[in-house]
Amino acid sequence: MKKIYIIVLMTVASLLTFSCQQKIQTADPGTGSFRTISVSAASPEVKSLLDPSADIVYVYTFSESKEFLGIFSPAMSDGYTFTYNIPDDTYLMVFTNMADSDVMEVTSENNPLVFKPLTLTEQDMVIAREYAVSIPDDGSPMQIHLERIASKVTVDLVLKSSYGTDLDLYDFIQYAGVAFPGVYEYYYLSNYWFLRYSGTSVSQSVMGMLVSESTTRYNICNDVSILPSYDASSGAVMELTVIDKAGYSTTLSATLNYPLEANKRYRLEVSLRPVDTGFGFTVEDIVTEDIIINLN
């Protein structure tokens, strides 16, 4: 009997801290008028598995006429509070740990800001939107509430004999990869200042590595960021592609009984079995667990 075990792992709420960083690009602090703002990044909505103190949170600034004014990182940090120098005519601020190298498009005719990871990454992707009118007049820190926009997916592959014993994958396959059809393409700031997922359903693929040595467990990917399922009412689909030692490629598909969601971790253990025509697997069991991650 062929198996695929899916374990859904959710983190507890945590506070974010940020190390001191310098302003990075786009606007020259020597030109125009700038103001200093104080921001508190205590964000219980964020469920991050990374070290928050090693992450940079950038602020993308826009004028009321939707002109892109620049990207800035914290000029200084003090505990959970950090400061930015932003243009005086800033109307909207988008805070995120995604740098411009991760942004598909900064400005366009229809959407001021589009976030699309250029490569699948182990980095958590968090975003918050705030209007400049939210900045306290007395100089006290403004509260931002960062939210994680992607699910995190780990896929391990094991090979089982007809008796259920583990087989050496090196003897049977040279490569394996996975794809998740039916997920959102990107996350964007609309012309009406709303943050939302795109309405396009695409497939996100994760490349594996060549099986170069003896092993009974093959990690295809580890905590990669996958945007949520386009259709939240149906189960997510996972496609597994296996290339055997002879170079023959087989693509298998399985439908889970739940969609991929933001702020959740999915650990998929795929149990593969050789058959006369190549390989095969079916969904036999799903195990759900809650875990606690202490990031303090």
Side-chain angles (χ1 to χ4, degrees):
M1 192 69 64
K2 311 169 188 72
K3 301 180 181 179
I4 174 173
Y5 294 96
I6 299 96
I7 303 176
V8 182
L9 305 140
M10 297 185 65
T11 68
V12 296
S14 60
L15 297 180
L16 293 186
T17 61
F18 300 95
S19 58
C20 177
Q21 303 291 338
Q22 298 299 314
K23 186 182 316 240
I24 55 170
Q25 59 191 19
T26 315
D28 183 354
T31 61
S33 298
F34 283 74
R35 66 185 297 189
T36 299
I37 64 171
S38 179
V39 177
S40 174
S43 301
E45 292 86 354
V46 175
K47 299 168 181 177
S48 173
L49 299 178
L50 302 182
D51 179 6
S53 64
D55 226 348
I56 302 174
V57 171
Y58 306 95
V59 57
Y60 291 69
T61 55
F62 298 87
S63 71
E64 190 169 4
S65 63
K66 298 181 174 61
E67 177 189 2
F68 178 60
L69 301 177
I71 310 170
F72 305 92
S73 62
M76 61 181 296
S77 174
D78 179 16
Y80 293 107
T81 302
F82 54 98
T83 61
Y84 295 96
N85 297 316
I86 62 172
D88 262 345
D89 54 347
T90 296
Y91 175 76
L92 186 90
M93 299 166 288
V94 177
F95 296 89
T96 178
N97 63 339
M98 286 185 283
D100 65 327
S101 59
D102 302 314
V103 179
M104 183 181 71
E105 191 174 7
V106 173
T107 57
S108 69
E109 181 179 350
N110 298 317
N111 302 309
L113 187 63
V114 177
F115 290 102
K116 179 182 179 182
L118 302 183
T119 57
L120 292 178
T121 173
E122 295 181 10
Q123 181 186 36
D124 280 330
M125 299 183 292
V126 293
I127 293 183
R129 181 200 67 176
E130 292 290 342
Y131 289 97
V133 293
S134 301
I135 301 173
D137 292 333
D138 60 4
S140 59
M142 177 181 64
Q143 300 288 327
I144 64 171
H145 300 285
L146 295 162
E147 295 182 355
R148 194 165 110 190
I149 66 171
S151 58
K152 306 298 289 184
V153 178
T154 295
V155 181
D156 289 325
L157 178 67
V158 296
L159 191 64
K160 297 287 187 178
S161 71
S162 57
Y163 301 101
T165 57
D166 290 345
L167 300 175
D168 192 336
L169 283 96
Y170 182 73
D171 294 335
F172 292 88
I173 71 170
Q174 56 177 301
Y175 165 86
V178 292
F180 294 89
V183 298
Y184 281 106
E185 184 179 7
Y186 52 79
Y187 193 74
Y188 69 100
L189 176 70
S190 75
N191 235 352
Y192 298 98
W193 304 122
F194 294 115
L195 283 168
R196 58 183 58 175
Y197 296 97
S198 80
T200 304
S201 175
V202 298
S203 177
Q204 285 189 298
S205 300
V206 184
M207 303 290 288
M209 302 288 290
L210 290 176
V211 183
S212 58
E213 60 185 20
S214 176
T215 181
T216 57
R217 180 173 292 271
Y218 175 69
N219 179 235
I220 297 176
C221 61
N222 186 58
D223 272 337
V224 295
S225 295
I226 304 288
L227 292 184
S229 297
Y230 175 73
D231 183 2
S233 64
S234 61
V237 176
M238 185 190 73
E239 293 179 350
L240 171 69
T241 297
V242 176
I243 301 178
D244 64 19
K245 299 294 282 189
Y248 178 77
S249 177
T250 302
T251 297
L252 309 162
S253 179
T255 299
L256 313 182
N257 67 348
Y258 49 80
L260 296 181
E261 299 180 61
N263 270 338
K264 288 188 178 180
R265 292 183 67 222
Y266 301 85
R267 182 173 296 276
L268 285 69
E269 182 170 305
V270 178
S271 182
L272 190 67
R273 294 178 187 270
V275 295
D276 292 339
T277 57
F279 300 98
F281 72 91
T282 58
V283 176
E284 182 175 286
D285 193 18
I286 297 175
V287 180
T288 303
E289 294 182 354
D290 293 330
I291 63 171
I292 296 176
I293 302 294
N294 185 2
L295 293 180
N296 295 330

